[in-house]
Amino acid sequence: MDYKGKLNRQFPAKISTTAFTSIYILHLVDKYGKMYGQKILDTINEQMGTRWKPSRGMVYPLLREMEEEGYLKAWWDEPDKRSIRYYRITEKGARHLDKMKIKYKSSFQDALKIVNTAIDEIYDGQI
């Protein structure tokens, strides 16, 4: 067994749900261009089905936080009504996303390997 000199007791990845959701939101806005909060939630739901669905109470504060950090540019579709708030990734946001993708790539790969290994072991390779 390869422990690389230490045991890792954190399972399975060293990334919080909030950090993961932030990366995913930035990725979606980068990929699809301008998006609004409900469209982000709908896109995640379409892609993930029932497997993972962040709450509105997580997504909307993250959007505001990323706007304050300068990662997203936001504007109202109809400023007088304040009905739909659109978001577009900024250059700063794109650089931040690139850094986060690099930072967490090995954690994502480790998590995938841990889960795949456990599934193969538990189900004797029958899945």
Side-chain angles (χ1 to χ4, degrees):
M1 291 187 175
D2 181 21
Y3 292 107
K4 296 182 183 175
K6 63 179 180 175
L7 292 175
N8 186 355
R9 300 198 187 280
Q10 188 163 350
F11 177 84
K14 299 172 189 137
I15 184 169
S16 69
T17 302
T18 302
F20 176 79
T21 304
S22 297
I23 291 169
Y24 207 72
I25 289 170
L26 284 174
H27 162 75
L28 291 175
V29 175
D30 186 43
K31 181 176 181 178
Y32 296 109
K34 75 176 185 177
M35 294 185 85
Y36 52 95
Q38 188 59 52
K39 181 64 176 170
I40 291 168
L41 287 164
D42 291 345
T43 301
I44 292 171
N45 192 42
E46 288 167 13
Q47 292 177 347
M48 303 291 176
T50 59
R51 293 178 296 276
W52 177 67
K53 185 176 184 180
S55 70
R56 294 172 61 85
M58 173 179 276
V59 170
Y60 283 99
L62 283 174
L63 287 169
R64 286 190 295 277
E65 182 180 314
M66 288 188 282
E67 180 184 358
E68 290 171 9
E69 293 288 329
Y71 300 149
L72 295 174
K73 168 79 174 148
W75 67 95
W76 292 103
D77 182 40
E78 298 178 56
D80 295 339
K81 294 182 182 179
R82 297 178 62 143
S83 56
I84 297 176
R85 189 158 181 84
Y86 283 99
Y87 297 89
R88 183 180 310 277
I89 196 164
T90 63
E91 286 184 32
K92 182 179 180 182
R95 287 192 306 271
H96 179 70
L97 175 60
D98 288 343
K99 288 177 189 174
M100 293 299 98
K101 286 167 58 175
I102 292 166
K103 178 179 179 178
Y104 290 113
K105 183 177 182 179
S106 66
S107 293
F108 291 149
Q109 290 170 326
D110 289 347
L112 185 60
K113 183 169 180 149
I114 289 167
V115 171
N116 282 336
T117 300
I119 288 170
D120 285 347
E121 180 65 26
I122 292 167
Y123 296 100
D124 231 359
Q126 296 174 350
I127 291 183

